Amino acid sequence: MKALLSALALTTALTVPALAIAKPVILTTNMNRYGGDGVYLALYVTDGQGTYMGSLWMAGGKSKYYEHLSDWHRATAGNLAEINGITGASVGAGRQLKITLDLADALFDAGYELHIDAAVEDMRDSPSEVVVPLTTTGAGQPVGGRRYIRDFTYDM
C-alpha cells in the first residue's frame, strides 16, 4: 500500500500538481565532451529498496535506443507509457539539459533516489550513471557522473 501511495504521489506531482503538495525542482545535467553523438538520458525515481517508482524525463526521441538505457528499461520492461509526454531531444556532448518539474514534497528526505541512465550510439551504455538521494540538504550540491555526465544538480 505504501508503494502504491508513493507511486501515486510521484505521478500526481508530475501530472496534476494542484492535487499534491509539490514544489518546482530544477534538474540540471551537464555533459562531458565525450566525442560522440547525442546522449539519451532516462531520469527516474526509485524507493529506498531500489524499486522503480516512476519516470521523470526521457532525453532522446528514437524509442529503438531506449533498451540501451538498461536499468530504466529493465525496471519498466520498456513500457513506453512510462514516458508519454515527458520526452525531449537527446543532449549533445558538452551541452546541458535543464528541466523544471513539479515533484511531490513526499519524495524528499524519505529514502527516494533519482537515477540517470545514459547511452550514446556506438559507445558504451552507462546504466545508473548518476544516482543521488533526494534530500533537501542535497539540493544545489553537484554530483559527478561516471562516463558521459560531468555533473548533475537539483535545486528547489
Side-chain angles (χ1 to χ4, degrees), residues 29 31 34 36-43 57-62 65-66 69 86-98 117-121:
T29 309
M31 307 310 300
Y34 51 81
D37 292 333
V39 67
Y40 275 56
L41 301 172
L43 287 79
W57 190 259
M58 178 71 74
K62 295 181 182 174
Y65 296 120
Y66 294 168
L69 300 163
I86 57 168
T87 60
S90 61
V91 185
R95 305 291 304 258
Q96 180 183 80
L97 172 67
K98 190 171 196 170
D117 284 13
V120 176
E121 187 176 358

Side-chain angles (χ1 to χ4, degrees), residues 3-14:
L4 176 63
L5 291 175
S6 296
L8 181 60
L10 175 67
T11 57
T12 300
L14 294 177

Side-chain angles (χ1 to χ4, degrees), residues 13-35:
L14 294 177
T15 57
V16 189
L19 298 178
I21 299 173
K23 65 177 74 129
V25 178
I26 301 166
L27 308 175
T28 306
T29 309
N30 293 303
M31 307 310 300
N32 284 318
R33 296 188 185 281
Y34 51 81

Side-chain angles (χ1 to χ4, degrees), residues 29 41-44 114-118 126-131 149 152:
T29 309
L41 301 172
L43 287 79
Y44 58 98
L114 188 145
H115 293 248
I116 305 175
D117 284 13
S126 189
S128 292
E129 162 106 10
V130 169
V131 178
I149 297 172
F152 168 79

